Amino acid sequence: IRMNLSRQGYVVTCAYDGQEAADLLESNSFDLVLLDIKEHNPSQHKLLTERSNEQTLRTAEWLERSRKPFWLRYVLVQGYSAFEEDMRAMGEHFRSYDMIKRVEVLPYHTLGAHKYEPLGMEYKLKDVKENTPEQLDAAKAIFDEYFDCVFVN
């Protein structure tokens, strides 16, 4: 995304965790924020990312209060974030937000898996299968019940 937008003349700023994003949002003005929510359920989020989702949720609340437009991006990872109950909880949590301009269901892929070995880290999702079109359609259908701006990317 960053390369494509930069080529089109947009200035793109990336934050790699919630605190960095919060700091950037406090000190800069942005036209649009892309906010990745890995999982709405706190324990599932921690299992998937080894981090809390509290800062991400606070960032979304701040964006809404501050009237800053944003996109919610949800990576669908089988066995980690593809639970109907959790997707519905996320829909309920965010359904009243006016500043969400797009909800993206992002298919899980393994394009970044090769980065872990040189860092001496185990890629914990190595056995996770990529999504089928039916799984992506099912997730989109759930989010369609809460938002009128859902896309599978």
Side-chain angles (χ1 to χ4, degrees):
I1 291 174
R2 180 178 52 194
M3 287 187 330
N4 286 338
L5 289 173
S6 295
R7 277 189 215 128
Q8 294 175 35
Y10 292 98
V11 176
V12 179
T13 303
C14 295
Y16 298 98
D17 64 44
Q19 187 58 57
E20 183 181 0
D23 293 344
L24 286 167
L25 288 167
E26 288 291 334
S27 60
N28 296 279
S29 177
F30 295 98
D31 296 322
L32 178 68
V33 173
L34 306 184
L35 185 63
D36 289 3
I37 298 206
K38 306 295 189 214
E39 230 300 356
H40 186 262
N41 176 313
S43 60
Q44 283 300 119
H45 186 278
K46 185 99 170 167
L47 179 66
L48 179 61
T49 67
E50 299 181 350
R51 291 182 165 187
S52 167
N53 63 354
E54 291 175 11
Q55 183 61 52
T56 303
L57 296 175
R58 281 196 304 269
T59 299
E61 290 168 10
W62 183 88
L63 290 166
E64 181 67 15
R65 266 194 331 275
S66 302
R67 309 297 298 157
K68 305 285 185 186
F70 67 105
W71 293 3
L72 277 181
R73 297 162 31 96
Y74 192 81
V75 180
L76 193 66
V77 182
Q78 296 304 310
Y80 290 88
S81 67
F83 303 111
E84 180 176 348
E85 178 180 330
D86 295 344
M87 287 185 271
R88 289 191 181 284
M90 185 176 124
E92 288 293 338
H93 182 92
F94 290 112
R95 81 179 322 155
S96 65
Y97 279 45
D98 294 323
M99 298 314 296
I100 295 173
K101 302 305 179 189
R102 182 178 175 114
V103 175
E104 289 189 331
V105 178
L106 304 174
Y108 167 75
H109 59 74
T110 59
L111 293 176
H114 70 281
K115 297 176 185 178
Y116 285 75
E117 188 176 334
L119 296 172
M121 299 171 65
E122 176 190 1
Y123 185 65
K124 295 180 180 176
L125 302 179
K126 65 181 175 238
D127 295 325
V128 174
K129 303 273 190 255
E130 293 186 9
N131 306 108
T132 66
E134 294 79 17
Q135 290 166 333
L136 294 167
D137 289 343
K140 181 183 183 308
I142 291 167
F143 288 130
D144 278 340
E145 294 178 32
Y146 301 93
F147 309 101
D148 61 2
C149 54
V150 181
F151 298 85
V152 174
N153 191 350

